[in-house]
Amino acid sequence: MRYPSSFACAAAALMFSCQAINILMSNDDGFGSGNLRELYHMLTGAGHNVYIVAPAFQQSGQGGRVGFTTEANLTGPSQYGLIPAGAPSIGPDPVDDHIFYYNGTPAACVFVALDYVLPNYAGFKVPDLILSGPNYGTNLGPSVWSLSGTAGVAYSATARSIPAIALSGSNTAVPYLEVDGPGHDAYRVAAVSFRVVEAIIETTPPGHPIFPLGYGANVNIPPLSNNHTSVPIVQSRMTGGAEVDAAVPGKTPGTFTWANLSPRASGLNQCINGDCSLPGETEVVAAGKVALSLYTIDYTAPIGAKASSVMQRFAALAGWMEGKAGLERRDRRVHWRA
Ligand SMILES: *[C@@H]1O[C@H](CO)[C@@H](O)[C@H](O)[C@H]1NC(C)=O
Ligand SMILES: *[C@@H]1O[C@H](CO)[C@@H](O)[C@H](O)[C@H]1NC(C)=O
């Protein structure tokens, strides 16, 4: 639950939000990520109560895969050598006990956080908000959404009934200890992320969830110059200009690598849900703006003529099924003939 914080409200008079909330952060780049730690410090600086549970190692491209280690201890040093080999597979950061590493996939980190770290080490069990990233590199369009570990954190959080935002920048990997102030790309990506996150927190009525149940947001940030504070934020949809992979033969026979399919796939870019007048998030970032898309956890096709016509063709099977569908035999015959 939200808790009142006089510190945050005092800070609000200066520049920050008056609503202090409980936040869980994770990512797929690893717990030593510069992007992750910069945003963490901005959020704690604004008075929020923030915990990080993030992978001990780089875990990009894992999507929503739930991979728990079977090893009690790390068999090699963690990312950037922050934790030595032989240390437990889960534990606190050496310099900050609100930050935990875990030797698992991004989605596994969410579940380990919710079912172990937060209940045992934080003053809350269910965060008000789960943030993923900011990632190194964008996560644009529905195809990347399914395979990105950054997205995997967000949709796993949504599945656990917790509002979530996936955040992705266009900068490259940097250990957090090498981020040297506001001129650094990791700082800029975090600052834009912070602006988006604070906006949604500030406009949430106290005691209400940050998003409706089953909803979340995907935020992608273009390359930033030193004018990052003025980069426009545009409402977008996931489809539209999005890329999907093609398999390209490698140099060695029998091997393949990937490339963006060309021309772009119309299947991936079919606008079915959401406001089809919005630009695609891929196009928005290509134009140098921040793309903000909402997602839902419900992949079911929306009701309408297209879904009905497909379902009617399956209606002949209804006789084999239990329940209501099986009772509508007369309808079934009519639909089958049509
Ligand atoms: C893991 O490390 C601890 C010491 O931190 C040690 O006591 C334990 O035996 C180790 N477990 C395994 C399976 O190697
Ligand atoms: C930001 O800077 C870039 C180049 O550094 C420039 O092209 C762009 O117009 C600037 N945007 C704003 C909103 O000032």
Side-chain angles (χ1 to χ4, degrees):
M1 292 311 292
R2 229 162 273 287
Y3 66 94
S5 163
S6 55
F7 167 76
C9 289
L14 301 172
M15 61 186 295
F16 292 122
S17 163
C18 189
Q19 293 233 54
I21 65 167
N22 295 322
I23 298 174
L24 171 68
M25 298 181 75
S26 192
N27 72 355
D28 69 2
D29 293 315
F31 79 117
S33 153
N35 283 7
L36 175 75
R37 300 276 185 122
E38 289 298 305
L39 180 56
Y40 167 79
H41 287 299
M42 289 174 194
L43 292 165
T44 56
H48 300 300
N49 188 26
V50 190
Y51 279 78
I52 293 176
V53 181
F57 302 95
Q58 156 68 242
Q59 292 274 2
S60 288
Q62 294 281 11
R65 191 172 84 80
V66 184
F68 301 110
T69 184
T70 54
E71 305 277 356
N73 301 323
L74 301 181
T75 54
S78 80
Q79 182 178 47
Y80 306 141
L82 295 170
I83 307 293
S89 287
I90 183 165
D93 182 82
V95 298
D96 188 334
D97 65 6
H98 276 225
I99 300 177
F100 285 73
Y101 67 88
Y102 172 61
N103 188 10
T105 60
C109 286
V110 172
F111 301 143
V112 166
L114 295 176
D115 301 325
Y116 174 75
V117 176
L118 298 181
N120 286 293
Y121 298 98
F124 62 93
K125 287 183 180 173
V126 182
D128 299 309
L129 177 65
I130 295 184
L131 299 175
S132 184
N135 189 60
Y136 305 133
T138 54
N139 286 302
L140 295 163
S143 179
V144 178
W145 181 250
S146 70
L147 61 82
S148 152
T150 306
V153 166
Y155 55 71
S156 298
T158 311
R160 290 286 299 258
S161 316
I162 300 167
I165 305 176
L167 301 153
S168 301
S170 294
N171 63 326
T172 54
V174 57
Y176 84 92
L177 287 168
E178 291 176 17
V179 180
D180 54 5
H184 199 286
D185 272 345
Y187 178 96
R188 291 171 179 163
V189 166
V192 172
S193 302
F194 178 74
R195 183 150 60 100
V196 174
V197 171
E198 278 295 271
I200 194 74
I201 293 172
E202 284 172 12
T203 53
T204 302
H208 287 73
I210 283 168
F211 290 127
L213 207 53
Y215 283 72
N218 185 32
V219 176
N220 280 280
I221 300 167
L224 297 169
S225 61
N226 56 12
N227 62 12
H228 66 269
T229 51
S230 61
V231 62
I233 296 171
V234 176
Q235 292 178 14
S236 55
R237 61 186 166 97
M238 286 193 157
T239 52
E243 309 279 9
V244 64
D245 289 0
V248 178
K251 282 184 183 139
T252 308
T255 68
F256 296 88
T257 183
W258 68 274
N260 287 330
L261 183 72
S262 181
R264 289 192 175 109
S266 51
L268 180 70
N269 287 300
Q270 191 69 27
C271 183
I272 295 170
N273 289 313
D275 181 349
C276 295
S277 72
L278 294 176
E281 58 191 11
T282 311
E283 299 157 337
V284 168
V285 170
K289 298 169 185 173
V290 177
L292 195 166
S293 303
L294 296 185
Y295 68 85
T296 72
I297 199 72
D298 188 355
Y299 292 5
T300 314
I303 55 169
K306 288 180 182 174
S308 300
S309 69
V310 175
M311 286 304 256
Q312 282 174 14
R313 289 162 49 212
F314 283 119
L317 298 174
W320 296 95
M321 295 189 230
E322 302 281 331
K324 185 179 161 209
L327 300 175
E328 294 169 353
R329 286 163 184 276
R330 195 171 53 83
D331 285 355
R332 187 182 82 222
R333 272 201 311 277
V334 170
H335 294 146
W336 194 242
R337 266 206 306 271

